[in-house]
Amino acid sequence: MRILLVEDEARVAGFIAKGLREQSYAVDIAGDGEEALYLAAINQYDLVILDVMLPLKNGHAVCRELRAGGFRAPILMLTARDAVDDRVAGLDSGADDYLIKPFDFKELLARLRALARRSGAPRPEVLTVAEVAINTASHAVTCGGRPVTLTAKEYALLEFLVLHRDRVLGREAIAQHVWDESFDPLSNVIDVYIKRLRAKLEGAGRRLIHTRRGEGYIFSAEGAGE
C-alpha cells in the first residue's frame, strides 16, 4: 500500500513514516494542507493519514476538498483534540476513522489494516499461489514449505504481485503502489527487485514471475511470458 502522511511536525512525521516503511508501506510526506492536496492530485494513494492542525489548510478543509474532488481512499485523521465535537467534525468532513495523539503505534497499524479491509474486497490472511504462501498479517513467506526471508520492499512487491496474480502489471502501476515519490522512473530498480524475488523463490521449481515485454510483469502459476 502507498500512504500519504500529512503531518507538519517533522519529528513525528519521521517517526511514523519510519515505522510504516518497516511494515512494507510506501510513504509520502506532506508538511501542510496545500502540499497534501497537490500530492493527492498527482499520485495514487491507497490511504491517507491526516493531521488536523496543519499550516495553510487544516485537516478538515483538506479532507473536505479531497472528498469533493472524488478522492475515495480511506482517510485516518490524527489529532490531539479528544472532545466529542472534534471527533464528530473530523468524521463529518469525510474521514473514515479518528485517532487521538499520543497513540500506540500498534493501534495505528491495526486501524490501517481495518481501513484497508473496508476499502476493498476482503483480503485473506494467507495468500497462496502454487508453492508460495504469504501471511499478510505477519508478512511471513514460505516457498515449497521453506521460509523465505524478504526485505520490507521485497515483501511489498511480492504481495502486490500476488494480490493481482494472473494480471499484467506495468512498471507505472508497480511504482505507484510499492514505491514512494522518491522513485526514479528512469531507474531499473523494479527490474532489480524482480530479479531478487525470482532468485529467492526459485525453490518452487518453476518461474512464477513472468515478463511481458513492453507491458510489465505477471505473477502466475501458469506460463505467461518469459
Side-chain angles (χ1 to χ4, degrees):
M1 289 179 64
R2 186 173 180 182
I3 292 176
L4 174 59
L5 170 61
V6 190
E7 170 61 66
D8 64 316
E9 294 185 40
R11 184 182 61 81
V12 175
F15 167 77
I16 296 174
K18 181 178 183 295
L20 291 175
R21 287 167 181 153
E22 289 174 350
Q23 295 296 316
S24 303
Y25 293 104
V27 184
D28 293 339
I29 300 174
D32 60 64
E34 292 288 1
E35 185 181 11
L37 291 170
Y38 172 74
L39 289 177
I42 64 171
N43 297 311
Q44 184 176 348
Y45 293 105
D46 301 294
L47 195 144
V48 174
I49 300 174
L50 178 63
D51 190 31
V52 172
M53 301 301 292
L54 295 168
L56 303 184
K57 280 188 178 176
N58 67 35
H60 294 157
V62 171
C63 195
R64 285 192 295 268
E65 288 195 36
L66 287 174
R67 294 309 191 202
F71 187 85
R72 303 189 64 173
I75 297 175
L76 172 63
M77 197 162 273
L78 301 178
T79 183
R81 297 177 174 178
D82 60 356
V84 172
D85 287 346
D86 293 317
R87 296 197 296 272
V88 170
L91 296 171
D92 283 348
S93 67
D96 297 276
D97 199 359
Y98 206 93
L99 187 58
I100 306 298
K101 295 179 178 178
F103 53 83
D104 188 292
F105 196 75
K106 290 186 292 185
E107 182 180 3
L108 173 63
L109 293 176
R111 287 175 182 263
L112 295 182
R113 291 193 296 268
L115 288 172
R117 288 194 298 270
R118 285 185 230 159
S119 64
R123 178 184 300 187
E125 183 175 342
V126 178
L127 299 168
T128 304
V129 178
E131 294 87 354
V132 176
I134 301 174
N135 187 306
T136 59
S138 67
H139 292 186
V141 177
T142 61
C143 183
R146 64 179 178 85
V148 179
T149 302
L150 301 178
T151 66
K153 190 61 67 179
E154 289 168 350
Y155 174 84
L157 176 57
L158 177 62
E159 184 185 87
F160 185 66
L161 291 170
V162 172
L163 284 170
H164 298 84
R165 56 189 175 274
D166 299 318
R167 290 173 50 189
V168 178
L169 299 172
R171 285 175 172 79
E172 182 178 356
I174 293 172
Q176 278 282 350
H177 290 275
V178 181
W179 272 265
D180 55 31
E181 63 177 345
S182 63
F183 176 79
D184 180 359
L186 299 180
S187 75
N188 68 338
V189 67
I190 292 177
D191 307 286
V192 170
Y193 274 87
I194 290 289
K195 184 177 180 180
R196 289 181 185 176
L197 282 180
R198 281 174 170 162
K200 291 185 176 185
L201 299 176
E202 64 185 7
R206 53 178 162 167
R207 175 160 289 187
L208 296 171
I209 305 174
H210 309 273
T211 302
R212 286 281 187 88
R213 289 194 179 276
E215 296 182 75
Y217 298 99
I218 179 170
F219 194 100
S220 176
E222 306 297 329
E226 299 178 14

